[in-house]
Amino acid sequence: MKYLKFTSYAYLAFALFFVYDGVTKWDEPTQGPWLSFGIAAVAVFMFFFRAKYSKRFEDRNSNQ
């Protein structure tokens, strides 16, 4: 189950990629960057969500 702790960092990698994608689309009139920025925000949220719940599961398993 230790791999689950490291998979949350994949969300940060996705967030960085989508922020880069949004910045490159900023000046293009046909493609809006807002979808990329939205996906990046969701990825950052998922990182913190997964980190919080993995810590909660660790605490629960250590008390048993």
Side-chain angles (χ1 to χ4, degrees), residues 14-27 31-45:
F14 287 131
L16 288 175
F17 172 74
F18 282 109
V19 166
Y20 171 76
D21 187 47
V23 169
T24 58
K25 290 179 181 179
W26 190 265
D27 289 330
Q31 295 179 342
W34 303 115
L35 182 61
S36 296
F37 289 144
I39 293 172
V42 168
V44 169
F45 169 76

Side-chain angles (χ1 to χ4, degrees), residues 2 6 19 28-29 33 35 52 55 57 59:
K2 286 207 176 241
F6 297 111
V19 166
E28 296 178 17
L35 182 61
K52 177 183 175 182
K55 182 170 176 11
F57 287 131
D59 292 342

Side-chain angles (χ1 to χ4, degrees), residues 41-57:
V42 168
V44 169
F45 169 76
M46 285 299 296
F47 167 75
F48 287 113
F49 182 80
R50 293 278 305 254
K52 177 183 175 182
Y53 278 96
S54 68
K55 182 170 176 11
R56 185 177 286 183
F57 287 131

